[in-house]
Amino acid sequence: MTSTTDRPDPFKSLLRLSATDLNTNQRIRKAIDVGREYLGVDNGVISYTGEGQYEVVKTNIETGPYAEGGTVALDGTWCRHVVENRETLGFADAGETEHHDDVALETTGLHCYVGAAVDIDGETYGTLCFSDEEPRDDPITDHERDFVSILAEWVGAELEREKHYTELREQNDR
C-alpha cells in the first residue's frame, strides 16, 4: 500500500474531472481512481444497497464477488454500517478498532475501509467505498473522511443528473 504523503490534492483532481467532456460513466470511473490514489488503497466501489443486497455498480475490481455486477448480502459488508448509521465510516486497520470482530472483516477480508452514503433524490442509493486487504500504516484522517463524503455527494449528483436526463429523453421520445 502506498504512503499517504506527497499525494496530489484530490479536490483539484475532482474539480478538473468535473470540467471534462467525459460522460457520467467515465467521470465516475475516474473519480474512483482519484479516491483510490488519494487514500492509497487498492479498491474503489460504488454500490447499490437496496433490498438488503450489495450490488457492485462501478469498481476497479476485476474478478470475484466485488467485481462489477456482483451481488452479495449487505449484512456481510462494511458498507452496512454506512447505510444503517448514515455516517461516513473509516479506519486504517479494523483489527485495531471496535470493529475487530465484525463479520465484515471475515467475510470481505478488508482491513482498511472508508465509505460514505450515496444519495439520489434524497434517498439512499448505496455507498461509495475505498478499501484494502492490508491495513494502512497511517490512520484515516478527518480530512480523508470528509473527502470521501464529498466525493459520495458528487457521485450521487452525477448519478441523479444522468437519471433525470434519461427520464427526460424517454419522455421526449414518447
Side-chain angles (χ1 to χ4, degrees):
M1 191 176 313
T2 61
S3 170
T4 56
T5 57
D6 300 324
R7 303 176 290 189
D9 183 331
F11 292 103
K12 286 182 182 173
S13 298
L14 188 57
L15 186 59
R16 280 193 299 274
L17 180 58
S18 295
T20 66
D21 340 349
L22 299 174
N23 66 37
T24 301
N25 189 41
Q26 294 167 325
R27 276 208 287 265
I28 288 175
R29 288 190 183 287
K30 292 212 178 272
I32 289 172
D33 291 339
V34 167
R36 289 176 47 237
E37 181 180 343
Y38 174 62
L39 295 166
V41 298
D42 287 343
N43 309 313
V45 177
I46 297 171
S47 70
Y48 172 72
T49 58
E51 302 169 15
Q53 295 295 311
Y54 178 91
E55 180 183 341
V56 179
V57 177
K58 303 259 187 281
T59 186
N60 67 296
I61 300 170
E62 295 181 4
T63 61
Y66 298 99
E68 208 161 291
T71 303
V72 298
L74 180 61
D75 289 347
T77 69
W78 291 116
C79 290
R80 80 178 188 284
H81 296 290
V82 172
V83 172
E84 289 170 4
N85 301 326
R86 300 287 305 143
E87 293 180 7
T88 301
L89 175 66
F91 44 80
D93 184 356
E96 295 181 1
T97 71
E98 69 273 12
H99 301 290
H100 64 89
D101 61 352
D102 195 293
V103 66
L105 183 56
E106 183 179 333
T107 303
T108 66
L110 300 171
H111 287 266
C112 178
Y113 173 90
V114 186
V118 173
D119 294 333
I120 297 179
D121 291 330
E123 301 276 327
T124 299
Y125 170 83
T127 60
L128 168 65
C129 67
F130 298 94
S131 61
D132 206 300
E133 290 180 5
E134 297 298 319
R136 200 173 89 167
D137 293 335
D138 301 324
I140 302 296
T141 66
D142 288 342
H143 189 70
E144 290 169 324
R145 276 186 202 81
D146 290 346
F147 173 72
V148 172
S149 295
I150 290 167
L151 190 55
E153 287 179 29
W154 184 89
V155 166
E158 287 287 316
L159 292 171
E160 188 172 312
R161 186 175 67 234
E162 182 66 22
K163 174 186 169 203
H164 291 292
Y165 284 153
T166 300
E167 290 170 354
L168 186 58
R169 280 191 297 271
E170 289 171 359
Q171 181 180 3
N172 287 340
D173 288 346
R174 284 193 298 267

